[in-house]
Amino acid sequence: MTATDESGPARPETANCFSSWIDPDSGVESFLLEADSLGLGPTQTVPSPLPNATVDGRLYWVFADVTDGSRTLTAIDLESETVHRVASLDRDGPLPAIDPATGTVHVLVDSSLETYTPRLTDDTARIERTRTIDAAILEDAVAGLTRSANGDRIGFVADDGETRRVASIYLPDSEVDIWHSDTGDCDVVRFSPTDPTVLLLARESPPASSADAWLAREGLGSRPLGPQFPRRHRAYWWRPDGSGLWYVDPDSGVGVLDLEIGHRRTVWDVPARTAHATHDGATIAAAVVSEGRTGLRVTDGTATIDVVSPRERRGDRTWHPHPTFLAGDSSLGYTTLVRDRPTFAVTPRAELEP
């Protein structure tokens, strides 16, 4: 029987499919997904900033059964402690677009855009494929997927070997719109969280080199954001109100760019690989790397704690925690190797308070 409280579905800290783990140095308690008990292979989080849990905390999304060529998008229902393997995806293909309010997910499967909708009641827990859209351009999709603010468009990047295009599918009638062509090496596309006519386009690069970003408005072209960022910048995510962009400068820390006035500021002076923030921006989590050791660190601006203390990588495996605040910022999710294999971990927000 799953342990629940009166406020709703089980939380990871009370669910039987998660077990307690305490960092030996910091004393922070996190909860690790027991993938074996659920019949899952190696797991990974969906990389930040894509939401990978519903706001009510009932569904948690992970990639399971991860191999060199594929990964299975999997939903874990904490209330019934059931596992739903939604779709097997190309490991290098576009990420799914998840609506954190409803749990509806859009994925690219064999060059088709498929929509899956949760049917969760007291006596039924299933996730059904509710729509399939076929379009020739989807055969060339290489990045995305991103969901518009009003939920009626799915954006992506397509590359046919000659031209790289930013496109969207209008869900009500399945029509494809080409926003931009010849966009260079753009490999990130994310809709504004408030304006369905605005997209962030970006070219991510390894931490050792520079990246580029553009802001595009439907029908009006795009403008470069590079001059407004520091020399090295990557790992972007939108402010919830659409007024600016968070970013990571691998040299100097986590910052925010105000799009209206073009002003940027460093919010946290800590060299990082990836990061994420709560909706109000008050708490930030970052994957920090120093002298070959990777850790997961959190700050609220007044105090800083290590969720997972810096530790050496094992062999040739690179640890990418991808910290992501989940379920209405009630917890922090990340990938960890603390038990010598990739798994998904959740730390309750209360554990992150100094």
Side-chain angles (χ1 to χ4, degrees), residues 94-115:
L95 292 171
I98 299 172
D99 179 0
T102 65
T104 297
V105 58
H106 307 274
V107 295
L108 187 65
V109 180
D110 296 330
S111 301
S112 296
L113 180 66
E114 296 185 349
T115 300

Side-chain angles (χ1 to χ4, degrees), residues 63-349:
F63 285 131
D65 307 326
V66 180
T67 68
D68 290 339
S70 67
R71 51 189 177 181
T72 301
L73 182 65
T74 303
I76 301 167
D77 180 358
L78 292 196
E79 183 167 289
S80 62
E81 296 220 35
T82 53
V83 170
H84 306 271
R85 284 179 168 85
V86 176
S88 179
L89 308 178
D90 185 330
R91 185 164 181 172
D92 296 324
L95 292 171
I98 299 172
D99 179 0
T102 65
T104 297
V105 58
H106 307 274
V107 295
L108 187 65
V109 180
D110 296 330
S111 301
S112 296
L113 180 66
E114 296 185 349
T115 300
Y116 290 83
T117 304
R119 308 297 189 194
L120 306 176
T121 63
D122 292 339
D123 57 359
T124 302
R126 65 182 187 274
I127 298 178
E128 301 174 343
R129 184 173 61 186
T130 52
R131 188 172 187 183
T132 299
I133 296 176
D134 295 310
I137 193 173
L138 291 171
E139 297 180 3
D140 302 322
V142 295
L145 301 171
T146 179
R147 177 180 174 274
S148 63
N150 57 10
D152 66 7
R153 291 183 182 272
I154 297 297
F156 57 96
V157 177
D159 189 343
D160 61 7
E162 297 181 358
T163 304
R164 186 160 286 210
R165 292 166 289 174
V166 176
S168 71
I169 290 183
Y170 185 58
L171 295 176
D173 61 13
S174 306
E175 289 295 315
V176 176
D177 292 319
I178 304 300
W179 287 43
H180 300 281
S181 297
D182 297 317
T183 52
D185 293 330
C186 168
D187 56 11
V188 173
V189 55
R190 296 192 181 113
F191 270 111
S192 161
T194 57
D195 189 338
T197 68
V198 173
L199 282 168
L200 167 70
L201 313 178
R203 182 181 71 236
E204 288 276 304
S205 301
S209 59
S210 177
D212 281 316
W214 301 265
L215 201 65
R217 186 175 293 276
E218 185 178 17
L220 296 178
S222 62
R223 64 181 176 92
L225 296 175
Q228 299 174 342
F229 280 113
R231 183 181 65 85
R232 296 174 65 194
H233 50 89
R234 63 190 310 273
Y236 319 90
W237 70 99
W238 284 94
R239 273 182 171 175
D241 64 2
S243 66
L245 294 166
W246 288 87
Y247 63 90
V248 172
D249 180 336
D251 294 321
S252 62
V254 182
V256 175
L257 171 66
D258 187 306
L259 292 173
E260 184 174 349
I261 62 176
H263 173 72
R264 73 171 190 261
R265 61 188 176 93
T266 299
V267 180
W268 188 13
D269 185 13
V270 55
R273 175 182 285 121
T274 58
H276 200 228
T278 52
H279 280 70
D280 60 8
T283 303
I284 306 171
V288 296
V289 179
S290 177
E291 299 179 352
R293 297 166 65 88
T294 304
L296 184 59
R297 191 168 296 168
V298 174
T299 186
D300 65 358
T302 59
T304 300
I305 62 173
D306 286 322
V307 178
V308 179
S309 303
R311 58 193 66 232
E312 294 181 1
R313 303 173 186 173
R314 295 177 173 88
D316 60 357
R317 291 180 298 178
T318 301
W319 174 36
H320 295 287
H322 295 300
T324 309
F325 285 96
L326 304 170
D329 295 338
S330 64
S331 60
L332 175 68
Y334 60 95
T335 297
T336 180
L337 291 171
V338 296
R339 288 183 178 166
D340 203 30
R341 62 177 295 184
T343 193
F344 176 58
V346 178
T347 304
R349 185 76 176 273

Side-chain angles (χ1 to χ4, degrees), residues 12-27:
E13 57 267 37
T14 60
N16 294 329
C17 56
F18 283 81
S19 63
S20 172
W21 179 82
I22 298 176
D23 184 87
D25 296 320
S26 66

